[in-house]
Short mmCIF file of all heavy atoms in Angstrom, two decimals:
data_model
loop_
_atom_site.label_atom_id
_atom_site.label_comp_id
_atom_site.label_asym_id
_atom_site.label_seq_id
_atom_site.Cartn_x
_atom_site.Cartn_y
_atom_site.Cartn_z
N ALA A 1 -32.77 35.88 -52.89
CA ALA A 1 -34.14 35.57 -52.48
C ALA A 1 -35.10 36.21 -53.56
O ALA A 1 -34.85 37.27 -54.18
CB ALA A 1 -34.53 36.08 -51.16
N ASP A 2 -36.25 35.41 -53.83
CA ASP A 2 -37.05 36.05 -54.87
C ASP A 2 -37.61 37.40 -54.38
O ASP A 2 -37.88 38.28 -55.50
CB ASP A 2 -38.28 35.12 -55.05
CG ASP A 2 -38.01 33.72 -55.63
OD1 ASP A 2 -37.01 33.75 -56.35
OD2 ASP A 2 -38.75 32.92 -55.59
N SER A 3 -37.80 37.73 -53.23
CA SER A 3 -38.45 38.99 -52.97
C SER A 3 -37.43 40.20 -53.03
O SER A 3 -37.73 41.29 -53.10
CB SER A 3 -38.65 38.97 -51.37
OG SER A 3 -37.45 38.67 -50.55
N VAL A 4 -36.10 39.94 -53.39
CA VAL A 4 -35.12 41.03 -53.60
C VAL A 4 -34.50 40.97 -54.93
O VAL A 4 -33.72 41.89 -55.17
CB VAL A 4 -33.96 40.99 -52.56
CG1 VAL A 4 -34.55 40.89 -51.02
CG2 VAL A 4 -33.05 39.72 -52.75
N LYS A 5 -34.65 39.98 -55.77
CA LYS A 5 -34.24 39.98 -57.20
C LYS A 5 -34.62 41.25 -57.86
O LYS A 5 -35.74 41.77 -57.93
CB LYS A 5 -34.72 38.68 -57.87
CG LYS A 5 -34.20 37.40 -57.38
CD LYS A 5 -34.67 36.26 -58.15
CE LYS A 5 -34.07 34.91 -57.64
NZ LYS A 5 -34.58 33.77 -58.42
N GLY A 6 -33.52 41.71 -58.53
CA GLY A 6 -33.76 42.95 -59.36
C GLY A 6 -33.57 44.31 -58.52
O GLY A 6 -33.54 45.35 -59.08
N ARG A 7 -33.52 44.19 -57.17
CA ARG A 7 -33.38 45.32 -56.34
C ARG A 7 -32.10 45.36 -55.56
O ARG A 7 -31.54 46.34 -55.31
CB ARG A 7 -34.56 45.39 -55.33
CG ARG A 7 -35.86 45.46 -56.04
CD ARG A 7 -37.06 45.81 -54.96
NE ARG A 7 -37.27 44.75 -53.98
CZ ARG A 7 -37.04 44.83 -52.70
NH1 ARG A 7 -36.68 45.93 -52.21
NH2 ARG A 7 -37.19 43.81 -51.86
N PHE A 8 -31.58 44.07 -55.19
CA PHE A 8 -30.41 44.02 -54.43
C PHE A 8 -29.33 43.41 -55.29
O PHE A 8 -29.57 42.51 -56.08
CB PHE A 8 -30.69 43.05 -53.20
CG PHE A 8 -31.52 43.69 -52.18
CD1 PHE A 8 -32.31 44.78 -52.22
CD2 PHE A 8 -31.59 42.95 -50.81
CE1 PHE A 8 -33.10 45.23 -51.25
CE2 PHE A 8 -32.36 43.39 -49.90
CZ PHE A 8 -33.07 44.55 -50.17
N THR A 9 -28.06 43.85 -55.04
CA THR A 9 -26.99 43.20 -55.61
C THR A 9 -25.79 42.94 -54.51
O THR A 9 -25.52 43.80 -53.85
CB THR A 9 -26.32 44.23 -56.63
OG1 THR A 9 -27.37 44.49 -57.66
CG2 THR A 9 -25.14 43.63 -57.47
N ILE A 10 -25.30 41.71 -54.70
CA ILE A 10 -24.22 41.33 -53.81
C ILE A 10 -22.94 41.31 -54.61
O ILE A 10 -22.92 41.05 -55.72
CB ILE A 10 -24.60 39.97 -53.09
CG1 ILE A 10 -23.54 39.77 -52.03
CG2 ILE A 10 -24.53 38.79 -54.22
CD1 ILE A 10 -23.88 38.35 -51.20
N SER A 11 -21.87 41.80 -53.88
CA SER A 11 -20.56 41.72 -54.52
C SER A 11 -19.53 41.53 -53.41
O SER A 11 -19.80 41.70 -52.20
CB SER A 11 -20.32 43.11 -55.23
OG SER A 11 -20.42 44.29 -54.39
N ARG A 12 -18.30 41.52 -53.88
CA ARG A 12 -17.28 41.23 -52.97
C ARG A 12 -15.95 41.77 -53.43
O ARG A 12 -15.75 42.02 -54.50
CB ARG A 12 -17.04 39.66 -52.70
CG ARG A 12 -16.38 38.94 -53.89
CD ARG A 12 -16.21 37.44 -53.51
NE ARG A 12 -15.39 36.87 -54.49
CZ ARG A 12 -15.94 36.22 -55.52
NH1 ARG A 12 -17.06 36.14 -55.76
NH2 ARG A 12 -14.97 35.73 -56.49
N ASP A 13 -15.09 42.11 -52.36
CA ASP A 13 -13.72 42.57 -52.71
C ASP A 13 -12.84 41.51 -52.05
O ASP A 13 -12.67 41.70 -50.87
CB ASP A 13 -13.52 44.01 -52.21
CG ASP A 13 -12.22 44.50 -52.48
OD1 ASP A 13 -11.30 43.81 -52.73
OD2 ASP A 13 -12.05 45.76 -52.62
N ASN A 14 -12.18 40.64 -52.83
CA ASN A 14 -11.39 39.59 -52.30
C ASN A 14 -10.17 40.09 -51.45
O ASN A 14 -9.84 39.55 -50.52
CB ASN A 14 -11.05 38.61 -53.40
CG ASN A 14 -12.19 37.77 -53.88
OD1 ASN A 14 -13.22 37.52 -53.10
ND2 ASN A 14 -12.11 37.37 -55.02
N ALA A 15 -9.56 41.22 -52.09
CA ALA A 15 -8.40 41.69 -51.45
C ALA A 15 -8.65 42.31 -50.15
O ALA A 15 -7.83 42.23 -49.25
CB ALA A 15 -7.85 42.89 -52.30
N LYS A 16 -9.83 42.69 -49.87
CA LYS A 16 -10.12 43.19 -48.61
C LYS A 16 -10.98 42.40 -47.66
O LYS A 16 -11.46 42.71 -46.70
CB LYS A 16 -10.94 44.57 -48.74
CG LYS A 16 -10.27 45.66 -49.51
CD LYS A 16 -10.98 46.97 -49.54
CE LYS A 16 -10.23 48.12 -50.25
NZ LYS A 16 -10.98 49.30 -50.31
N ASN A 17 -11.27 41.22 -48.16
CA ASN A 17 -12.16 40.19 -47.50
C ASN A 17 -13.48 40.93 -47.02
O ASN A 17 -13.96 40.65 -45.97
CB ASN A 17 -11.35 39.58 -46.22
CG ASN A 17 -10.26 38.59 -46.59
OD1 ASN A 17 -10.46 37.98 -47.64
ND2 ASN A 17 -9.12 38.60 -45.91
N THR A 18 -13.96 41.58 -47.99
CA THR A 18 -15.23 42.25 -47.68
C THR A 18 -16.31 41.87 -48.67
O THR A 18 -16.11 41.82 -49.92
CB THR A 18 -14.98 43.78 -47.74
OG1 THR A 18 -14.05 44.07 -46.84
CG2 THR A 18 -16.28 44.56 -47.38
N VAL A 19 -17.56 41.84 -48.12
CA VAL A 19 -18.64 41.70 -48.99
C VAL A 19 -19.68 42.66 -48.87
O VAL A 19 -19.86 43.28 -47.79
CB VAL A 19 -19.36 40.22 -48.58
CG1 VAL A 19 -19.81 40.19 -47.18
CG2 VAL A 19 -20.43 39.97 -49.73
N TYR A 20 -20.45 43.13 -49.84
CA TYR A 20 -21.19 44.25 -49.89
C TYR A 20 -22.73 43.72 -50.30
O TYR A 20 -22.90 42.72 -51.03
CB TYR A 20 -20.90 45.44 -50.81
CG TYR A 20 -19.49 45.76 -50.59
CD1 TYR A 20 -18.34 45.25 -51.23
CD2 TYR A 20 -19.07 46.73 -49.72
CE1 TYR A 20 -17.06 45.60 -51.13
CE2 TYR A 20 -17.84 47.15 -49.50
CZ TYR A 20 -16.88 46.66 -50.09
OH TYR A 20 -15.47 47.05 -50.02
N LEU A 21 -23.68 44.50 -49.91
CA LEU A 21 -25.03 44.32 -50.31
C LEU A 21 -25.61 45.65 -50.67
O LEU A 21 -25.80 46.53 -49.77
CB LEU A 21 -25.92 43.60 -49.33
CG LEU A 21 -27.27 43.28 -49.86
CD1 LEU A 21 -27.30 42.19 -50.82
CD2 LEU A 21 -28.12 42.81 -48.58
N GLN A 22 -25.67 45.89 -51.93
CA GLN A 22 -26.44 47.15 -52.48
C GLN A 22 -27.97 46.90 -52.51
O GLN A 22 -28.27 46.03 -53.16
CB GLN A 22 -25.84 47.52 -53.84
CG GLN A 22 -26.41 48.72 -54.34
CD GLN A 22 -26.17 50.09 -53.56
OE1 GLN A 22 -24.93 50.26 -53.20
NE2 GLN A 22 -27.13 50.82 -53.33
N MET A 23 -28.63 47.75 -51.78
CA MET A 23 -30.13 47.51 -51.71
C MET A 23 -30.81 48.89 -52.24
O MET A 23 -30.55 49.91 -51.72
CB MET A 23 -30.55 47.44 -50.33
CG MET A 23 -29.79 46.16 -49.47
SD MET A 23 -30.39 45.87 -47.92
CE MET A 23 -29.88 47.46 -47.03
N ASN A 24 -31.47 48.64 -53.34
CA ASN A 24 -32.21 49.69 -54.00
C ASN A 24 -33.70 49.39 -53.97
O ASN A 24 -34.09 48.34 -53.64
CB ASN A 24 -31.76 49.75 -55.52
CG ASN A 24 -30.27 50.13 -55.57
OD1 ASN A 24 -29.69 50.85 -54.82
ND2 ASN A 24 -29.64 49.59 -56.64
N SER A 25 -34.40 50.55 -54.16
CA SER A 25 -35.83 50.41 -54.21
C SER A 25 -36.42 49.64 -53.06
O SER A 25 -37.28 48.79 -53.03
CB SER A 25 -36.36 49.60 -55.48
OG SER A 25 -35.89 50.34 -56.68
N LEU A 26 -35.99 50.19 -51.81
CA LEU A 26 -36.24 49.45 -50.54
C LEU A 26 -37.81 49.64 -50.32
O LEU A 26 -38.32 50.62 -50.59
CB LEU A 26 -35.47 50.16 -49.49
CG LEU A 26 -33.91 49.50 -49.43
CD1 LEU A 26 -33.10 50.44 -48.60
CD2 LEU A 26 -33.92 48.20 -48.93
N LYS A 27 -38.25 48.57 -49.53
CA LYS A 27 -39.64 48.56 -49.15
C LYS A 27 -39.80 48.31 -47.78
O LYS A 27 -38.80 47.89 -47.06
CB LYS A 27 -40.33 47.36 -49.95
CG LYS A 27 -40.23 47.37 -51.43
CD LYS A 27 -40.83 46.11 -52.04
CE LYS A 27 -40.77 45.95 -53.55
NZ LYS A 27 -41.40 44.76 -54.06
N PRO A 28 -40.99 48.72 -47.14
CA PRO A 28 -41.09 48.56 -45.68
C PRO A 28 -40.80 46.92 -45.32
O PRO A 28 -40.36 46.69 -44.21
CB PRO A 28 -42.49 48.89 -45.45
CG PRO A 28 -42.71 50.03 -46.46
CD PRO A 28 -41.99 49.55 -47.70
#
């Protein structure tokens, strides 16, 4: 989403069937 570009990063671990969302510079 435009509102999170540059702040959030999505990644995955296929071996663990897990997806992550790293959220930085969080805003209210």
Side-chain angles (χ1 to χ4, degrees):
D2 288 342
S3 60
V4 307
K5 287 181 178 177
R7 300 189 297 119
F8 291 11
T9 302
I10 189 169
S11 61
R12 70 177 191 269
D13 185 334
N14 289 334
K16 297 181 178 180
N17 291 324
T18 300
V19 64
Y20 306 93
L21 185 67
Q22 179 67 46
M23 304 185 295
N24 298 325
S25 301
L26 283 161
K27 304 175 180 179

